[in-house]
Each structure stands twice: as structure tokens, then as C-alpha cells.
Amino acid sequence: MEFHSEWLLEDPIDALTDLKKEVISKDEIEKLSTKENLSEIDKACTLLENGQICQKLWVVKNLHNIMYENRFHEIIAELINRLPYWNESGQEEAGKALTKVLAKNCFPIKYSEHLLNLALQIIDSETWTLQKSWGEVLAELAKHLPEKLLLRCTQEAMSLSAYHQNDQIRSIGGIVLGAIADARKKPPSDITRKIFSMSQDPSNFVRLNMCETLRILFKLKGEFESKVIEEILKLVGDECVEVLEQSLQLFVDILPEITEKNQILENVEECFVKTRYDKLTEIKLRYIGRVMKELKGQMSKEMKNNWVNWIMDMVTSGNLQEKRSVSISYGGIIHCTGIDDRILQLWKILEDENDYEVIQNLVLQIGFVASIAGDKTLEVQGIVRKYVKIDNYFSILVPQITIIATSLKIQEELLLFLVEKLTQKLKMRDTLEVLCQLVRFSNTFNIMNPLKPLIPNLIQMGKEGAAPVKEKSMELLAIITYKSPGYSSRLALAKDIIQNFACSNNCFHRASYISFCLAIKNFCSRNFFSKIFMPSLLDLSKDKSDVVRYTFAKNYVGLRYTVPSNNSELMGNFRYILNSYLEIDDKVLLNYALAADEGMNNVALREENYGPSGESVENMRIKQENDEEIKEITEMENTKKIQNEENLRGFNRKTNKKYLGHRETVPRQSSVKPMKKYNLSENDRHDIVLNKTRRIH
């Protein structure tokens, strides 16, 4: 007998409690078990026939795992026969599972009519969640029915939507009609007329659910497209809060696809600008930014001013909710109107509310505000400098730093801000985001000096940080190493990295060196890489640690393309490394090696690296590196030459008195060699006096 985890399901404590209460004999235990040698299909059939409700639900929730089996139709037949006797929660779960099976086109067509009858039967209940679940089954089934059954399904849907007194069932009828229209692609006029009439149903609930059906009709295009837009515009002017929100969401989604926007402008203005403050204003303000953004090309300058006036009036008249809605729409508003004094005044009004959600919405859009600042660059710079100092908005502001710096021309200031933040103790996510932005900064701007003090921090992060932080810190370290001015300083940094990582006793540090190599190969030439980094990298290929070898094997293809095209010896070394991995009795290493072997057969990748374009990039990098080296050698020689000349001039000043500009009398030198003068101590003087005295005596 085998114990099945599905007995426990979602709440193991309740399941075990029920077992404890109810299972009191061996026979009852046998009922809750199946034979070990049963296939998944046999096991599912057994549980559907004789299992407890929890076991039947397990089968239903796992239909997607067995729907590709040959005998899956047996499960469907058993399920359809037994579903009418299940409770509502079980039927609801079955409806969700069957919808997925239908969507994957795995439902057996021969049971379509049975499922249609069952869906119509279950829909006639009083629970909306159950009705909705099986309404989705019916809608998905309509897309896969043969013509004969599709006609019957259409009649049933028309009947549900036309004559039923229950608003929920009428809504399901409308949803199914939309699915039928989608299945037919060119729906007949009676279906479209019914859908349009239901979109103006007296029931708010029906109108709310018809929004999705109108979305389906709009996607079909055709001769009824203008009528669909007309019906959607009617819903945009609806007085029910739920219907208005749903219809506005639909409207802003389809607005980019509407070609004749001039024709709808007047209706849209009627729904927005010409209304007074009421309970619907908060919803309208939430979507007005997207509406203005899409209608920008059709609006005159005067009309834009009118819309901004209306927004200012609503913000002034409204409460906190209205301000939150406008803060969401602020980006769309300035996209339409640009930034002027009134728009900055609107920012100030919203900011003065001092609500976290309002300011958060504004800061989320500050990058876009900066990108279109125009003549108001100084004012926007002031806003950025203000929020950069507030830690609460740090995680929102950092992802936009690069675009802000580019737009407002304050690269160095914001770079120093990021460098300072990285030296502080941050959360892992914030650290990772700062590193990402610094990498973007380094690739966008040629400002490397402020990054050099970060090298100790980056080395530490590369050793001790979480995996994503390690990877990004090594990438930034690679950029700093290669882009640092001066060939000799580049070599010095490279030796530091090799010493700290490739030569470390810690296997994770050595694995980080591989990440560094993968990053720096994108900047330097293959010749430079082979000369500086390849020896230590090849040592890591046969490292004793599995961590290092797995990392090397996983990234084998990227590392292999660091070999110059004319270096056959290195190519042979890499081939030997791959062959040795393929012969090692290690499943993980073998899988990585097989994937690497397959990757090396990628013609596109080979062409990218060793083709004409790849070789052109390589030659350009080699030339740049040679020029830098020659320039540095020349500068050093010039410096040395200048230093020697200065030393020579200094020597001439001391020895050649003519250099002083006038003739001086030079005393005649004695032919007797003068005594060398020393600074004598007291003891030395005493000894000399004593010696002289002795000579006299």
C-alpha cells in the first residue's frame, strides 16, 4: 500500500484530523489508498470512482499534468458523469481545470455535447463564483465546437441573455456571445445587435461584464468597429462607479488602435472636462493622463489649457483621493502639455499634501519629467536634488538615475551620490540597483575617476556579497579595470584582481574571477585577455573545487571565444578541457559540458565572434590598446627627457658661472690638495689636540 500526498492537499492538519476521526478500520484505510503499480490514468480513474472528495479534487487539479496521455478521454468521461453529484466547491474547481484543458486544445471533441449540457445545468445555480467558473467553460468550449453544436450554443446563449431574470446569468450569456463572435471571426448581425443592446442593459452588473465582450468585438474589427467605439464611449459616460472604471480601462487600452481620433474628441471632452466635481471625478482623474497622452496630436493649445484648468479645479475642489489620482496621471498630462509654470504649480500642490502615496507616484515619474524638462531644467534639478536627500524614496529614484543625469546634465553630481550610497550599508536589493546604475553610468559616460575609490568595496562585495551582487560588482570592477586611464594602471589593477580572486584560497572567490573574466572580455581585445587573464583562467579550469569547475563549464562557450582566432595552441587547450569534462563521472559537470559542446556548434555565435564584424571589432580594440601603450611610453620618455634636461640645467647653474650673467673673479686654486673638512665631535677634537701636543713634546 502506498501513501499519497494528495490526501493532505492544502490543509494537512484538517486532513489528518479527519483521518483520525473517521479512519478506524483497515478496510477504511484501504479505501484511501491505491495499488503501487497503477499508471497515472488508472490511479485517477480509481480515485474519481471510489476516492474521497479530497482525492477527487486532487485529480481535478492535476488534469493539466495528464491531459497529453493517450487515455485521457477516459478521465474526462468519468469526470463528466460524476460532476453533477459533487458539491459546489468541487464543481467550481472542476470548471477552472476544464477551462485550462479546453484552452490547450486537449479536450476530446466527442464529449463536447455532454460538456455543453453539463455547463448549462451547472450555470443555473445561485452562486456567482460557480456560475462564472462554468460560464468561462462554456465560453472556451464555444471556440472549439463544430458548426452544428455552435449553432445550438448560440441559441442557448441568446436565450440566457434575453429572457433570464437573473442578472448574473444574463451576464454569462453576454460573455458566451462574445466567445462565439470570436470563434466565428465574422459574427452575424443578430449576435452583434444583442451584444450592443446588452452593453446598455439596465443592470449595472450586466454592463460591467459586457466591457470584456466589447473588447473582443473591437479586436475583430470589421464593419461594426465604429459601433463598438460608440458603445464604449457611452459606457465612459456611465454613472456607476464600477462600470465607469471598467469602461475607462477598456477605453484607454483600445485608444492607441483607434485611427479616427478626431471623431471621438468631442465625446471624450464631454465626459471629462465638461463635468463638475462628483463621486466619479476620482476615477476620471486616474485615467485622464493616459487619455491626454493618446489624444495629444488632436488637441489644440487652447484645448490643452482647458483640460489643465479642469484638472486644477478638480484638485482644488477634491480631497486626498483626487490628488492621488492626479499624481498617477501627472506623467501623461505633461506628455501632452509639456512643462510650464502651471504644471510645476500642480506638482507643488500635490507635493504640499505631504502624502506618501502621492509623492511616491510623483517620484516614480521624475525620470520622465526630467527627460522633457526643456526650459525648466533648473527647476527640475531642484526637485531632483530635494528627493535625492530623502532616504524613503531612494529605491524609487535610483532606477531612474541614469536618464535623469543624461537629461539634466548633472552626471558627476549623481555619480558621486551613487558612489557615496554604495559605501553605506544598504539592503541587498538597493545595493544591486546601485551597482546596475553604476554599470550603466560607466557605459554611458566617460567618468571613471569617482569610481576608483570604490575598488576596495567592490572587491569585498565580489567576495562576500549575494550571488547577484557578486556578479554586478565584478562587472563594474571589470569596467573600472579596463577603462582606467593609463596602460600601466590598467595592468596594476588587473594584477590586483588576479591576486585577490584567482589566487585566493576560497573557491567562491575563484568562481567570482570567472565572472570578472566574462565581464571584461566584452571590453578588451582577445590578445590583451590572453596575455593578462588567460593563464590564471586556465588554472581554474582544472580546479579541485566543484564550485569553480561547474562555473567554468557553465560559461565555457563565453570563455572559449576569448581565444584569438590565430592562436591554435589555446584552442587546443580549450578542446582538451571540454573533453576532460565529458569523460568525468559527474552528472552536473557532464550536463554543462554537453550543453557547451552543443553551444560551440552554433554557427551564428561563431560568425559573431570570428566573422568579419567580429574581427573588425577585435582589430579596432587591438589598435586602441597599442595606441594607448605607445602614447604612455612616449609620455614617460618625454617626462624623463624633461627631467634630465632640468637636472642638467641645475648642474650648469652650479658649475658654470657665466650662466649668472656677469664675470666674477675666480680665485687661483692651490696645487696642494686641500684637506677634506669634517664636522668633528667634541671627542674627535680632544683626540686631535692630544696628538698635536704629543708631537710638540
Side-chain angles (χ1 to χ4, degrees):
M1 186 179 72
E2 182 185 2
F3 180 82
H4 298 286
S5 60
E6 62 267 17
W7 296 347
L8 304 181
L9 286 179
E10 297 169 358
D11 197 339
I13 296 176
D14 288 350
L16 289 172
T17 306
D18 292 341
L19 286 172
K20 186 176 178 182
K21 289 178 182 177
E22 297 176 8
V23 179
I24 55 175
S25 66
K26 182 180 178 182
D27 293 336
E28 290 181 345
I29 292 175
E30 291 288 342
K31 289 180 183 179
L32 290 169
S33 62
T34 58
K35 295 180 181 179
E36 294 182 13
N37 58 352
L38 288 180
S39 66
E40 289 295 319
I41 296 293
D42 290 329
K43 179 181 175 182
C45 286
T46 303
L47 294 176
L48 285 174
E49 184 179 357
N50 302 317
Q52 301 293 322
I53 185 64
C54 62
Q55 294 172 307
K56 293 176 181 179
L57 284 175
W58 175 82
V59 175
V60 165
K61 290 182 177 180
N62 285 275
L63 283 181
H64 63 281
N65 292 327
I66 57 174
M67 64 185 177
Y68 297 107
E69 300 286 340
N70 291 331
R71 295 167 54 206
F72 180 62
H73 62 92
E74 295 178 20
I75 305 296
I76 294 296
E78 190 72 26
L79 187 60
I80 290 174
N81 289 334
R82 297 188 180 278
L83 265 176
Y85 308 104
W86 289 18
N87 57 26
E88 287 191 351
S89 60
Q91 289 176 343
E92 186 179 335
E93 288 296 331
K96 294 174 183 177
L98 286 169
T99 302
K100 293 177 183 177
V101 173
L102 284 162
K104 294 291 184 181
N105 206 20
C106 291
F107 187 85
I109 298 297
K110 59 182 178 180
Y111 297 121
S112 297
E113 188 170 3
H114 298 287
L115 186 60
L116 175 61
N117 294 330
L118 180 62
L120 292 170
Q121 178 185 341
I122 294 178
I123 282 171
D124 195 15
S125 66
E126 296 181 356
T127 307
W128 167 241
T129 54
L130 179 60
Q131 291 171 337
K132 184 181 179 183
S133 174
W134 279 85
E136 291 172 358
V137 172
L138 195 55
E140 194 62 44
L141 179 62
K143 300 175 185 177
H144 304 277
L145 287 175
E147 186 62 29
K148 184 178 177 181
L149 285 176
L150 187 59
L151 287 171
R152 187 194 159 196
C153 185
T154 304
Q155 292 170 359
E156 295 290 351
M158 295 286 279
S159 176
L160 289 174
S161 58
Y163 304 113
H164 213 287
Q165 298 300 313
N166 189 311
D167 295 346
Q168 297 171 350
I169 294 179
R170 271 206 323 284
S171 297
I172 290 173
I175 293 169
V176 175
L177 283 176
I180 293 169
D182 192 15
R184 289 184 176 276
K185 301 305 176 187
K186 292 184 178 180
S189 57
D190 57 336
I191 292 180
T192 55
R193 278 201 306 271
K194 187 62 187 173
I195 291 173
F196 294 148
S197 64
M198 289 186 71
S199 65
Q200 299 304 319
D201 194 275
S203 168
N204 296 339
F205 190 82
V206 175
R207 296 200 304 277
L208 175 67
N209 284 280
M210 290 308 295
C211 288
E212 198 58 37
T213 303
L214 289 173
R215 186 193 296 272
I216 293 171
L217 277 188
F218 181 79
K219 287 179 181 177
L220 296 176
K221 303 297 181 180
E223 68 276 4
F224 46 81
E225 181 181 352
S226 58
K227 181 63 177 173
V228 174
I229 296 171
E230 182 183 335
E231 294 300 326
I232 293 173
L233 286 171
K234 289 179 183 176
L235 290 172
V236 169
D238 204 284
E239 295 182 356
C240 173
V241 173
E242 291 81 6
V243 176
L244 177 64
E245 182 155 14
Q246 192 74 14
S247 60
L248 277 174
Q249 180 63 57
L250 169 61
F251 179 65
V252 296
D253 287 346
I254 69 166
L255 194 50
E257 301 179 40
I258 297 176
T259 52
E260 299 296 332
K261 294 179 182 177
N262 284 321
Q263 297 177 4
I264 66 170
L265 190 57
E266 186 177 345
N267 289 332
V268 174
E269 194 171 21
E270 191 75 30
C271 297
F272 283 90
V273 181
K274 296 183 179 178
T275 58
R276 296 182 178 181
Y277 178 80
D278 55 22
K279 62 178 183 179
L280 306 174
T281 302
E282 183 255 324
I283 299 168
K284 292 178 181 178
L285 289 172
R286 197 184 313 156
Y287 291 94
I288 195 168
R290 292 175 65 184
V291 173
M292 291 179 71
K293 178 182 175 182
E294 294 299 333
L295 295 177
K296 173 184 176 181
Q298 286 70 39
M299 297 172 70
S300 63
K301 186 175 181 180
E302 184 181 356
M303 186 178 289
K304 291 175 184 177
N305 288 334
N306 291 338
W307 282 62
V308 173
N309 290 339
W310 181 78
I311 293 168
M312 295 288 283
D313 290 342
M314 295 303 105
V315 168
T316 307
S317 306
N319 53 25
L320 179 60
Q321 291 302 323
E322 279 70 26
K323 291 181 174 65
R324 286 177 176 173
S325 294
V326 174
S327 67
I328 293 170
S329 295
Y330 191 83
I333 296 168
I334 64 170
H335 187 279
C336 176
T337 62
I339 299 181
D340 55 20
D341 293 334
R342 297 199 65 201
I343 294 297
L344 291 174
Q345 183 187 355
L346 179 60
W347 178 289
K348 181 66 175 167
I349 292 171
L350 297 172
E351 194 179 50
D352 288 345
E353 188 65 30
N354 203 23
D355 175 67
Y356 180 79
E357 187 176 332
V358 171
I359 298 177
Q360 182 186 39
N361 292 333
L362 292 174
V363 175
L364 278 168
Q365 302 170 83
I366 203 167
F368 178 69
V369 174
S371 67
I372 60 171
D375 297 337
K376 301 296 179 181
T377 298
L378 291 176
E379 289 83 345
V380 179
Q381 282 179 0
I383 293 172
V384 170
R385 289 188 179 105
K386 175 181 179 181
Y387 286 106
V388 155
K389 297 175 182 177
I390 304 176
D391 292 337
N392 289 344
Y393 305 105
F394 173 76
S395 56
I396 303 172
L397 194 62
V398 167
Q400 308 173 73
I401 283 287
T402 306
I403 190 170
I404 293 171
T406 307
S407 304
L408 301 181
K409 309 297 182 188
I410 48 175
Q411 296 95 326
E412 290 195 22
E413 183 178 338
L414 293 181
L415 179 58
L416 290 171
F417 161 72
L418 290 175
V419 168
E420 182 186 353
K421 283 295 179 184
L422 196 62
T423 58
Q424 299 172 3
K425 191 173 182 180
L426 300 173
K427 295 178 182 177
M428 193 271 281
R429 285 184 181 178
D430 291 339
T431 301
L432 183 59
E433 189 58 54
V434 171
L435 285 169
C436 290
Q437 290 300 319
L438 285 172
V439 168
R440 287 178 194 167
F441 251 86
S442 306
N443 289 325
T444 308
F445 311 111
N446 191 22
I447 309 174
M448 300 306 299
N449 287 332
L451 294 175
K452 284 188 176 180
L454 283 179
I455 291 174
N457 301 77
L458 293 173
I459 290 174
Q460 186 179 0
M461 289 176 189
K463 290 180 176 180
E464 301 173 3
V469 172
K470 279 183 180 179
E471 186 177 344
K472 276 297 169 188
S473 59
M474 296 312 288
E475 185 178 353
L476 183 57
L477 204 51
I479 295 171
I480 296 172
T481 300
Y482 190 73
K483 290 190 175 181
S484 292
Y487 189 80
S488 55
S489 63
R490 182 184 301 166
L491 291 178
L493 274 174
K495 288 177 182 177
D496 252 0
I497 300 299
I498 293 169
Q499 188 64 36
N500 276 284
F501 291 95
C503 301
S504 172
N505 294 326
N506 189 311
C507 63
F508 294 102
H509 300 173
R510 299 197 297 276
S512 291
Y513 178 72
I514 297 174
S515 299
F516 174 85
C517 290
L518 288 167
I520 202 167
K521 78 180 183 66
N522 297 319
F523 306 104
C524 67
S525 69
R526 288 192 279 266
N527 283 351
F528 181 85
F529 186 92
S530 299
K531 178 183 174 183
I532 306 300
F533 303 108
M534 188 62 78
S536 49
L537 184 63
L538 289 176
D539 290 340
L540 297 184
S541 66
K542 47 185 181 288
D543 198 275
K544 294 179 180 180
S545 167
D546 286 342
V547 173
V548 181
R549 284 189 301 162
Y550 290 166
T551 307
F552 190 98
K554 186 178 180 181
N555 299 289
Y556 176 87
V557 177
L559 297 172
R560 163 63 181 75
Y561 283 117
T562 59
V563 179
S565 56
N566 57 356
N567 195 328
S568 56
E569 183 182 351
L570 263 180
M571 289 183 181
N573 288 341
F574 267 86
R575 187 64 210 176
Y576 174 78
I577 291 165
L578 185 58
N579 289 338
S580 66
Y581 286 163
L582 290 169
E583 294 171 1
I584 291 176
D585 187 16
D586 185 322
K587 186 177 179 181
V588 178
L589 194 59
L590 182 61
N591 286 335
Y592 282 141
L594 289 171
D597 191 43
E598 186 178 349
M600 287 307 300
N601 295 324
N602 189 325
V603 179
L605 195 59
R606 178 176 290 275
E607 185 66 23
E608 180 185 344
N609 285 276
Y610 293 137
S613 60
E615 288 300 321
S616 173
V617 172
E618 174 71 3
N619 293 333
M620 183 180 68
R621 288 176 176 175
I622 291 172
K623 184 179 182 305
Q624 181 182 348
E625 289 165 0
N626 289 339
D627 290 346
E628 287 178 2
E629 188 175 5
I630 292 168
K631 181 182 177 183
E632 185 169 343
I633 291 171
T634 306
E635 287 177 354
M636 288 175 66
E637 288 177 351
N638 291 336
T639 305
K640 191 175 180 181
K641 185 177 179 182
I642 292 168
Q643 213 168 25
N644 289 338
E645 288 176 355
E646 287 180 352
N647 291 338
L648 187 60
R649 288 195 196 101
F651 178 77
N652 288 338
R653 288 192 191 99
K654 292 177 182 178
T655 58
N656 190 358
K657 298 301 181 177
K658 291 181 180 180
Y659 182 81
L660 298 176
H662 60 279
R663 184 179 297 274
E664 290 185 358
T665 304
V666 180
R668 183 177 177 183
Q669 293 185 353
S670 172
S671 59
V672 182
K673 187 176 180 181
M675 287 182 61
K676 193 172 183 180
K677 294 183 180 180
Y678 297 96
N679 290 327
L680 302 178
S681 64
E682 290 297 327
N683 292 330
D684 292 336
R685 292 193 188 97
H686 180 268
D687 290 343
I688 291 170
V689 171
L690 187 62
N691 289 334
K692 286 182 178 179
T693 308
R694 284 175 182 168
R695 285 193 199 108
I696 293 169
H697 284 296

